[in-house]
Amino acid sequence: MPFKLSTAPYLHQANSVAEMMRQVLYALIPGIAMYVWFFGWGIVIHILLTSMTALSCEATLLWLRDRPLRPFLTDNSALVTAWLLGSALPPFAPWWLSVLGTAFALIFAKHLYGGLGYNPFNPAIVGYAMLLISFPSEMMKWPHLASLSGHYPSIVESMSIIFTGQPLGGITLDALSSATPLNTMKTQLNKFHTVTEIKQNPIFSYYGAKGWEWIGSTFFLGGVWLIYKRVITWHIPVAVVGSLFLIASLFFTIDSDRYPSPFFHLFGGGSVMIGAFFIATDPVSAATSNTGKLIYGIGIGILIYIIRTWGGYPDGVAFSVLLMNIAAPLIDYYTQPRVFGH
């Protein structure tokens, strides 16, 4: 029997950075399509804006840093940042919000730290958090669901609102906009209304919020696709979703008129599924060992609930991920696997 010998390297990794990032873009498509179905074409326009801004900033910064353009521009990492940020913006937000948030993410959260692989924070979530803190009015102004408003905005109408702030056909922006279900729930709870009373509003559904439960579900399916393709592991998403579900169940059991159900926390918006599967799993800024990933994900889930319930913001995914990004090096330090033989 012949014994074959070969020279190093002995292992071949089929996945490249570009291929992994491409899979992430594929996984985002169903959720984006569902956004378009319920809110119109505004999100596509913003994704185009964030993509053009991201590629322009990436090329400029690589040139300033004297780095080769082609390998970094074609690794798709800038496009993933652009698509994630574009998916989180209100569909009728002004155009400069997309440009400003993307440029901030690429410059301050990526290249000032040395580029891809050196960023301690997820660039997309840094850009989103900056916009949320600096421009809360624009970031909170979401449109009504097309099925509730009785008006489905066309591409031309969406472009008119985004680039000029002037809707067409005599319909004002205020008539098309409303608070998100998460924002409505938090505001009404602070006015001492019960959850049962608040959910009489037609924007809510039996277990989540109308339209949003489908958006959240499609992002969930996209995340499952990433696990199936081994782009991410199950540890962080399961820890985020599981811990949020458990802590929400505990308080819901204590007082269901004061604390919304765990399903509302998961499907009252699309942010939890995007955060759990697409943002918290960033291999650069997240914890690395399996035990560390579970701790990191549980921390995010608990922080989301704390910020939503007792904090100043109706959501909390962005700040929870950023806070746990800060804690990731410490988690890695205490959860390093033992070296074989020691």
Side-chain angles (χ1 to χ4, degrees):
M1 177 179 178
F3 185 73
K4 294 183 178 178
L5 293 176
S6 59
T7 57
Y10 299 107
L11 296 177
H12 174 67
Q13 174 57 268
N15 277 341
S16 63
V17 172
E19 176 60 25
M20 291 174 65
M21 295 295 174
R22 190 178 301 116
Q23 293 296 334
V24 174
L25 295 175
Y26 292 158
L28 283 168
I29 290 174
I32 293 171
M34 202 57 70
Y35 263 123
V36 174
W37 177 265
F38 285 109
F39 293 109
W41 292 94
I43 185 172
V44 176
I45 297 169
H46 277 293
I47 287 176
L48 290 174
L49 282 170
T50 55
S51 297
M52 288 189 291
T53 307
L55 291 175
S56 302
C57 287
E58 185 91 336
T60 305
L61 291 164
L62 287 169
W63 175 71
L64 290 173
R65 295 175 58 212
D66 197 23
R67 299 296 175 91
L69 298 185
R70 183 180 176 83
F72 292 104
L73 282 177
T74 56
D75 68 6
N76 298 319
S77 62
L79 283 179
V80 168
T81 298
W83 283 37
L84 288 173
L85 184 56
S87 302
L89 296 176
F92 290 158
W95 64 270
W96 51 264
L97 217 61
S98 289
V99 175
L100 182 63
T102 308
F104 187 87
L106 268 292
I107 295 170
F108 291 95
K110 185 176 180 182
H111 281 278
L112 282 187
Y113 287 101
L116 182 66
Y118 298 95
N119 48 290
F121 306 103
N122 182 289
I125 211 68
V126 170
Y128 178 79
M130 185 278 291
L131 294 176
L132 194 61
I133 295 170
S134 305
F135 308 99
S137 175
E138 287 81 358
M139 292 294 287
M140 296 288 182
K141 195 172 285 185
W142 278 78
H144 290 292
L145 287 177
S147 58
L148 292 178
S149 67
H151 178 78
Y152 191 84
S154 65
I155 295 179
V156 174
E157 193 172 53
S158 299
M159 291 181 69
S160 174
I161 298 171
I162 291 170
F163 289 104
T164 69
Q166 299 297 323
L168 300 175
I171 301 174
T172 65
L173 183 57
D174 287 337
L176 294 174
S177 302
S178 69
T180 64
L182 288 172
N183 197 10
T184 302
M185 178 66 75
K186 188 175 184 66
T187 304
Q188 295 300 314
L189 283 173
N190 288 338
K191 293 179 179 177
F192 303 105
H193 295 291
T194 66
V195 172
T196 306
E197 292 170 343
I198 298 168
K199 293 194 73 172
Q200 299 303 313
N201 190 316
I203 65 172
F204 297 102
S205 63
Y206 179 71
Y207 68 94
K210 279 184 181 170
W212 287 103
E213 70 270 71
W214 289 103
I215 293 170
S217 298
T218 45
F219 279 119
F220 169 79
L221 292 176
V224 172
W225 166 261
L226 292 180
I227 295 174
Y228 170 72
K229 297 296 288 185
R230 298 186 178 181
V231 175
I232 61 174
T233 65
W234 59 268
H235 303 81
I236 293 176
V238 168
V240 173
V241 174
S243 59
L244 178 59
F245 185 87
L246 287 176
I247 190 171
S249 299
L250 174 65
F251 282 92
F252 179 71
T253 303
I254 293 172
D255 187 351
S256 61
D257 267 339
R258 177 62 187 160
Y259 301 102
S261 73
F263 292 103
F264 176 76
H265 279 281
L266 296 184
F267 297 103
S271 58
V272 170
M273 296 304 167
I274 296 178
F277 287 95
F278 294 91
I279 295 176
T281 51
D282 180 0
V284 181
S285 56
T288 53
S289 68
N290 289 341
T291 304
K293 288 176 181 176
L294 290 173
I295 297 171
Y296 171 84
I298 290 170
I300 291 174
I302 293 173
L303 284 171
I304 291 172
Y305 190 80
I306 291 173
I307 294 172
R308 282 183 174 182
T309 307
W310 299 289
Y313 286 90
D315 204 338
V317 173
F319 298 114
S320 302
V321 173
L322 287 176
L323 288 170
M324 291 310 294
N325 283 167
I326 296 172
L330 184 66
I331 294 171
D332 278 341
Y333 179 82
Y334 285 106
T335 57
Q336 292 180 45
R338 192 173 63 175
V339 177
F340 183 74
H342 290 268

